[in-house]
Amino acid sequence: MDERLARLRTHQANIGHYQNLLKTNLSDVEQEFIEKRLAEERFAIAMLNSMSAPKGRDAPGFHK
């Protein structure tokens, strides 16, 4: 399996886990911690997606 795909799947699974935790009865401190972790997971996904985006001539919409 492609390492990038495996990382994306792991981050998505973590996001699902954290979203489920937010549906439970948490203290304010716990909720803040989970929300921070969610933001970090989403950022990690955005970074993985941006690193794999085509650049230059391979980018969509590139015209000579």
Side-chain angles (χ1 to χ4, degrees), residues 6-62:
R7 288 177 185 247
L8 284 170
R9 287 182 178 169
T10 300
H11 290 302
Q12 286 288 30
N14 290 344
I15 287 171
H17 177 70
Y18 292 136
Q19 287 174 331
N20 287 335
L21 283 173
L22 286 175
K23 295 175 186 176
T24 65
N25 188 17
L26 301 171
S27 70
D28 290 343
V29 172
E30 291 169 326
Q31 184 170 346
E32 287 177 25
F33 176 81
I34 298 299
E35 288 172 351
K36 180 181 176 187
R37 294 295 301 142
L38 262 173
E40 291 170 353
E41 294 291 343
R42 289 177 176 142
F43 179 76
I45 288 175
M47 291 302 295
L48 283 170
N49 285 332
S50 71
M51 289 176 12
S52 67
K55 294 180 172 71
R57 294 177 184 256
D58 296 330
F62 177 83

